Amino acid sequence: MTSFPAILRSEWTKIRSVRSTVWTLALTFVVTVGIGALLSLLTNNNFTEFRRSDQSPFDATGTSFSGIMLGELAIIVFGVLAIGNEYSTGMIRVTLAAVPQRGTLLTGKATVLGAMALVVSVVTAFVTFFLGQALLGSHATGLGEPHVLRAVFGAALYLTLLCLFSAGVTTMLHNQTLALGVLVPFFFLLSPILSAVPKVKTLAHYFPDYAGSRMLLVYEQHGQPYGPWTGFVICLAWTLAALVGGALVLKSRDA
Amino acid sequence: MIELHDLTKRYGKTLAVDRLSFQVPQGVVTGFLGPNGAGKSTTMRMILDLDRPTNGRVTIDGRRYGQLSEPLKYIGALLEAKSVHPGRTARDHLLWLAQSNRIPTRRVDEVLALVGLTPVARKRARGFSLGMGQRLGIASALLGDPEIVMFDEPVNGLDPEGILWIRNLMKRLATEGRTVFVSSHLMSEMAVTADHLVVIGRGRLLADLPMPEFIRRNSRSAVRMRTPHPERLLDALAGAGIRPEPGPGGSYEVVDGDLARLGDLAAAHGVVLHELSPQQASLEEAFLQMTADSVEYHAGDGPGRDAAGAPGVWGAGWTADGTRQSAAARQEEN
Ligand SMILES: Nc1ncnc2c1ncn2[C@@H]1O[C@H](COP(=O)(O)OP(=O)(O)OP(=O)(O)O)[C@@H](O)[C@H]1O
Ligand SMILES: [Mg+2]
């Protein structure tokens, strides 16, 4: 058997030695922090105007995470590229010749990918939160307030799980372009649209992104189907299913 | 040692590899020859467990590829398609590969030097020429200092200097006692590098014999004779106990014939000759004819099919002979 730590080292070298993957991770940070900061600043400066017609309590945490939609896009692309570039370049054959234990290989890949995504996401989430709160001035909240710490960690977990979900889907599709073509429209068109359509939205509420984003909520929303922890479990289930599906495809297919 | 037993691969309707059984002899260069689409690359992918056989199996030193721990230390391969990320440097490509099989980092720099890529080690593969890409592929094959190396058409698209370099490298690897298994669709290339020859056509084994044996069998010369009076020529030849074979364009060919003697014979019988010429079949022609037969065989009930139904038998049943010959030769070695 090929040693697991050796696979981890090798996969880590692979990811860090290609610019495109490193950049998408950096972009996740920049976009999430940047847009969050911008909207927090705008909200603070125009607070009375923005809040005039709104009856619900002001969610300072949510405001600082306004950029998460785009950060999510970047980390999804990271997950797709990290797996998909092996298929687009034909490198997967070299990889499988070096590590023929395909299940172990994918476990190693997911471990490295997940660890990198988690580290970047946690840093991103906390920087986003603190910078956002600083810019919200008197409207800011603190980590000690109810549910806030959970929401900040929730944001980090949300990004990490979506990254791994995308990696799993890419392994199943064994094609980088196809994976991007499926995942990006799904998360940015299909899922948001469907979760606004009556009737269909009950289904859309069980999609990985909607479920995962429940972890970010500090205040209970009107008509919310389930709480943050259920959301986490649903998102995790999707991620594991995608990775297991990817492993099954990888193990059964000719490379 | 690589051993194939009844190896078969079917892609939908295409039977890419058809009950292939042979062994790659140790410590020599074995040429794996076949025309385009013969199934060479497919066979090599199955050896590496990349493609799963429809039937049969491959073993390396008695084990399946997937059971080898750190396989790069047993067998190194250069596959057909370029398989390097264009955005990664040559050194980083070799580094991740080395790390996956716990090969010391020092070895990365060694193989870079060995293939002459040290000056561009930190350049991204995007800018590499075909030859440099091929050298990088060979560096990855040699990384684990393996006993067996396998190259799929390594000289494809290379300039003469690159071809010479690879040729010498393969010979050197064999001199070091390594097993070299190299595919090609050019007989001429194999004639100068290979010690042993395995020929396939349409996925089937056509020949498996030592290279000198192949050359001996196929370098038979003939004398071609053309005359406006064939009956008289045939009579004259028969009188001397010579049995000619029909040649192209109504000519006759005397295998291993002596030019002067045949000329004298014709003159003595007053036979007018329009042609009296030596013919030397090249190895390339021999290979072409052999594989052409395999195509005929598959297209229907082509000629040269012996009673045992051996595929694509060439000439006087030499495939069957050749197979026997090499098996015997191997037994002697062991
Ligand atoms: N992945 C695949 N899917 C479908 N058919 C395939 C696949 N790989 C190979 N084939 C078919 O199998 C046959 C053998 O192909 P293969 O590439 O092994 O031949 P080859 O001897 O390497 O030829 P070449 O000299 O052109 O490289 C061909 O008919 C090819 O079209
Ligand atoms: Mg080929």
Side-chain angles (χ1 to χ4, degrees):
Chain A
M1 284 293 122
T2 312
S3 104
F4 193 66
I7 296 176
L8 296 183
R9 279 187 75 191
S10 154
E11 291 298 326
W12 159 244
T13 302
K14 267 188 204 170
I15 292 188
R16 68 158 180 78
S17 60
V18 170
R19 280 185 192 146
S20 52
T21 43
V22 177
W23 280 23
T24 47
L25 264 191
L27 208 62
T28 306
F29 177 84
V30 171
V31 163
T32 314
V33 172
I35 295 179
L38 192 68
L39 275 153
S40 300
L41 191 65
L42 284 174
T43 307
N44 190 27
N45 290 346
N46 309 284
F47 196 77
T48 38
E49 227 171 293
F50 278 18
R51 302 283 307 160
R52 192 170 295 151
S53 55
D54 210 332
Q55 300 305 311
S56 56
F58 173 63
D59 184 356
T61 315
T63 305
S64 60
F65 279 107
S66 302
I68 198 127
M69 268 288 270
L70 281 176
E72 175 188 325
L73 175 64
I75 210 158
I76 285 170
V77 173
F78 168 71
V80 172
L81 290 187
I83 298 279
N85 68 26
E86 294 233 15
Y87 293 97
S88 65
T89 59
M91 214 175 76
I92 187 72
R93 286 184 173 155
V94 181
T95 298
L96 291 177
V99 185
Q101 298 80 21
R102 300 185 180 189
T104 318
L105 174 77
L106 189 62
T107 311
K109 274 185 178 298
T111 306
V112 172
L113 212 63
M116 286 184 81
L118 186 64
V119 169
V120 171
S121 301
V122 168
V123 172
T124 302
F126 277 92
V127 172
T128 303
F129 177 78
F130 285 121
L131 186 61
Q133 300 316 311
L135 294 171
L136 276 171
S138 57
H139 308 290
T141 181
L143 279 183
E145 298 300 316
H147 308 311
V148 172
L149 187 61
R150 188 260 297 143
V152 177
F153 269 116
L157 278 180
Y158 173 69
L159 290 176
T160 307
L161 289 180
L162 284 194
C163 171
L164 286 173
F165 174 77
S166 311
V169 169
T170 309
T171 314
M172 277 200 272
L173 298 175
H174 46 83
N175 183 318
Q176 174 170 291
T177 323
L178 183 64
L180 282 178
V182 167
L183 288 170
V184 174
F186 176 80
F187 283 125
F188 293 89
L189 289 171
L190 203 65
S191 182
I193 291 173
L194 290 189
S195 47
V197 177
K199 285 199 179 125
V200 189
K201 76 179 176 198
T202 3
L203 176 70
H205 285 170
Y206 290 91
F207 286 169
D209 53 338
Y210 183 89
S213 63
R214 297 308 94 192
M215 291 188 278
L216 277 85
L217 295 180
V218 172
Y219 300 105
E220 209 160 298
Q221 280 187 338
H222 174 70
Q224 189 174 293
Y226 46 76
W229 295 109
T230 310
F232 168 72
V233 171
I234 292 173
C235 190
L236 182 69
W238 276 103
T239 305
L240 291 178
L243 287 171
V244 169
L248 291 178
V249 171
L250 184 65
K251 275 163 153 297
S252 64
R253 241 186 118 253
D254 286 342
Chain B
M1 172 154 60
I2 307 178
E3 289 173 90
L4 285 71
H5 309 271
D6 258 354
L7 198 64
T8 303
K9 181 67 185 182
R10 183 181 282 284
Y11 295 109
K13 281 190 169 173
T14 318
L15 191 56
V17 173
D18 188 6
R19 284 172 288 151
L20 209 50
S21 299
F22 64 87
Q23 304 180 347
V24 181
Q26 252 163 318
V28 297
V29 179
T30 296
F32 188 34
L33 206 59
N36 291 131
K40 304 180 294 293
S41 301
T42 304
T43 303
M44 288 185 156
R45 286 200 302 273
M46 286 195 284
I47 291 174
L48 297 178
D49 203 23
L50 295 174
D51 282 23
R52 270 59 189 276
T54 309
N55 227 322
R57 68 202 149 91
V58 188
T59 54
I60 292 140
D61 295 338
R63 287 187 286 170
R64 282 203 323 103
Y65 190 85
Q67 296 170 327
L68 299 175
S69 77
E70 298 171 348
L72 299 183
K73 295 175 180 173
Y74 289 85
I75 171 166
L78 166 76
L79 290 178
E80 192 170 33
K82 214 175 166 186
S83 313
V84 178
H85 192 294
R88 193 175 277 124
T89 68
R91 194 172 183 284
D92 282 338
H93 177 73
L94 295 172
L95 185 62
W96 75 253
L97 206 51
Q99 287 170 339
S100 72
N101 277 236
R102 290 191 297 183
I103 296 162
T105 309
R106 159 175 47 83
R107 181 72 188 152
V108 169
D109 299 304
E110 268 173 37
V111 291
L112 279 166
L114 188 69
V115 303
L117 286 182
T118 308
V120 293
R122 288 170 200 281
K123 292 248 155 53
R124 298 189 188 268
R126 176 177 295 120
F128 282 16
S129 69
L130 196 67
M132 285 156 83
Q134 208 72 329
R135 280 168 194 254
L136 182 55
I138 288 173
S140 14
L142 300 179
L143 196 58
D145 198 13
E147 275 302 294
I148 306 172
V149 290
M150 188 164 83
F151 298 146
D152 195 359
E153 312 233 10
V155 301
N156 250 8
L158 292 191
D159 59 12
E161 197 199 330
I163 294 177
L164 196 65
W165 181 78
I166 289 189
R167 210 183 268 170
N168 290 333
L169 174 81
M170 290 193 293
K171 284 183 177 166
R172 197 172 72 229
L173 291 171
T175 324
E176 292 167 5
R178 293 179 219 267
T179 301
V180 182
F181 187 49
V182 55
S183 80
S184 175
H185 55 260
L186 293 177
M187 182 66 227
S188 51
E189 183 54 37
M190 287 300 99
V192 292
T193 34
D195 308 299
H196 193 89
L197 199 62
V198 172
V199 184
I200 62 167
R202 295 251 180 145
R204 294 192 140 198
L205 187 69
L206 299 180
D208 175 5
L209 79 177
M211 194 68 206
E213 181 70 19
F214 180 86
I215 292 175
R216 194 180 62 72
R217 283 163 186 270
N218 294 289
S219 52
R220 286 183 309 170
S221 59
V223 171
R224 180 177 296 168
M225 307 174 84
R226 196 191 305 272
T227 172
H229 312 296
E231 310 79 27
R232 286 166 62 187
L233 176 66
L234 289 176
D235 282 348
L237 291 174
I242 296 167
R243 294 202 309 168
E245 293 171 0
S251 67
Y252 292 92
E253 287 182 354
V254 180
V255 174
D256 288 330
D258 182 81
L259 206 58
R261 180 167 170 246
L262 291 169
D264 290 348
L265 191 70
H269 288 78
V271 180
V272 174
L273 290 183
H274 288 175
E275 181 182 356
L276 178 70
S277 62
Q279 300 293 321
Q280 189 87 43
S282 72
L283 295 175
E284 201 71 56
E285 280 168 331
F287 166 59
L288 276 177
Q289 189 173 347
M290 179 159 60
T291 50
D293 281 357
S294 89
V295 173
E296 271 178 34
Y297 170 77
H298 282 272
D301 53 345
R305 179 178 171 184
D306 72 10
V313 178
W314 185 76
W318 75 284
T319 302
D321 274 354
T323 313
R324 241 178 275 134
Q325 189 87 29
S326 62
R330 268 199 303 275
Q331 265 161 16
E332 276 165 30
E333 276 167 29
N334 295 342

